[in-house]
Amino acid sequence: MLATKAVFLGQCVQPSARRTTSAVPLARARATAVVSCTSENALPVSSHKIQRRDVLSLAAAAAIATSAPPVFAEERDTITFYGAANPPASYGGIGGTAPDKARYTFQYPADEFKELAVSKVEKGANGTDTKFVSTARAKKQQIYVVTLANEGGSGGFKSMDADRLLEGVSGSDYVFQDALNLGEITSSKRQVDDDTFFDYTIEGADNFLMSITTRQGRLFAIFVNSPLKNFKEDRAALEKIRDSFRTIEVDVLY
């Protein structure tokens, strides 16, 4: 059984163990939408090539799969991060929040990433709520979570349209925009409990593993970024980070 830790307010506690299953890796193909299921009654896997302009729309047509948080292959400590989805005026802190106040979680290898404070520009321009970088500086890998409350001033993200959600998180992120324009894109859609996630794999000079969802009118997206030279070797572990992303219902909205 994988040893895990939970972190909040800069401290770690032991969460209860739970059964997990491995996620199904996305196929590598240029601008290809992949359909996959992992349940016992799963439909056959199929794929078809599409034009880049259609890749986002076809993500919404992909089959729905149910999965649990993935298992990391190695027997090593992982940390469960509890994120607050803080309002725009809140930035600069680290450590997340208490589990009973969290709006999202994800797991990462304890010895391979460290948290950095989010700057005012990152929070204001991109909606970045938390950011981690690889402890091995040469790898230049990072994890960051974006949360946005308003969709064009309409008072919240109400639709699950893949195009609009992707536009919402990519507007001010020029590195991610370049990866979208120049990279090879694979997309899929999966169901986890009551949440629908749109997953993207973008391969090129800058590689991204990304997942987007909405809950209670707010957009949530996790980005796992890696340069090409380290992506192939670390891909399985990075996918597990992306696939562990979850959102949580809260009673008080802001």
Side-chain angles (χ1 to χ4, degrees):
M1 176 61 66
L2 174 69
T4 62
K5 295 179 182 178
V7 62
F8 62 95
L9 301 178
Q11 299 182 359
C12 295
V13 298
Q14 291 292 340
S16 58
R18 57 181 171 179
R19 184 183 176 193
T20 59
T21 59
S22 298
V24 178
L26 298 175
R28 184 183 186 277
R30 180 173 182 83
T32 301
V34 176
V35 181
S36 63
C37 291
T38 58
S39 67
E40 292 181 359
N41 298 320
L43 296 175
V45 174
S46 64
S47 63
H48 56 89
K49 288 192 174 181
I50 56 178
Q51 299 297 319
R52 182 178 301 278
R53 64 179 178 271
D54 298 325
V55 68
L56 304 181
S57 297
L58 284 183
I64 294 175
T66 301
S67 62
V71 174
F72 286 83
E74 298 85 357
E75 284 293 332
R76 59 185 178 181
D77 284 349
T78 66
I79 292 177
T80 297
F81 181 84
Y82 293 91
N86 287 315
S90 300
Y91 59 89
I94 62 173
T97 190
D100 61 347
K101 296 180 179 179
R103 297 199 64 178
Y104 65 88
T105 70
F106 63 90
Q107 298 175 356
Y108 65 94
D111 58 342
E112 295 190 15
F113 288 90
K114 62 181 179 180
E115 188 181 5
L116 298 181
V118 174
S119 70
K120 181 178 180 180
V121 172
E122 291 169 327
K123 185 67 176 179
N126 297 337
T128 303
D129 194 64
T130 191
K131 178 175 66 176
F132 288 76
V133 297
S134 53
T135 52
R137 295 180 62 184
K139 286 193 171 185
K140 297 181 180 179
Q141 295 170 337
Q142 60 178 332
I143 309 163
Y144 58 100
V145 174
V146 168
T147 68
L148 298 172
N150 294 313
E151 182 179 25
S154 63
F157 288 85
K158 297 180 175 63
S159 73
M160 283 302 293
D161 181 277
D163 291 7
R164 297 188 68 177
L165 296 181
L166 195 60
E167 288 172 3
V169 297
S170 62
S172 301
D173 191 336
Y174 68 90
V175 175
F176 182 65
Q177 285 182 15
D178 287 345
L180 276 177
N181 291 330
L182 302 174
E184 299 179 0
I185 304 171
T186 304
S187 61
S188 65
K189 178 182 176 181
R190 61 190 166 94
Q191 189 79 24
V192 181
D193 298 326
D194 295 328
D195 288 340
T196 300
F197 289 85
F198 296 99
D199 295 336
Y200 297 90
T201 299
I202 304 170
E203 298 179 68
D206 242 328
N207 296 269
F208 281 87
L209 299 170
M210 177 192 179
S211 190
I212 313 175
T213 190
T214 64
R215 182 181 282 273
Q216 294 178 285
R218 181 180 286 267
L219 180 150
F220 296 84
I222 188 169
F223 297 78
V224 183
N225 175 228
S226 175
L228 178 61
K229 65 179 181 179
N230 301 117
F231 183 66
K232 182 177 292 186
E233 177 183 354
D234 297 338
R235 178 169 180 163
L238 298 176
E239 284 179 340
K240 290 178 176 67
I241 297 171
R242 190 267 309 272
D243 295 343
S244 71
F245 189 53
R246 300 289 185 269
T247 60
I248 302 170
E249 193 94 358
V250 295
D251 294 330
V252 179
L253 300 177
Y254 49 82

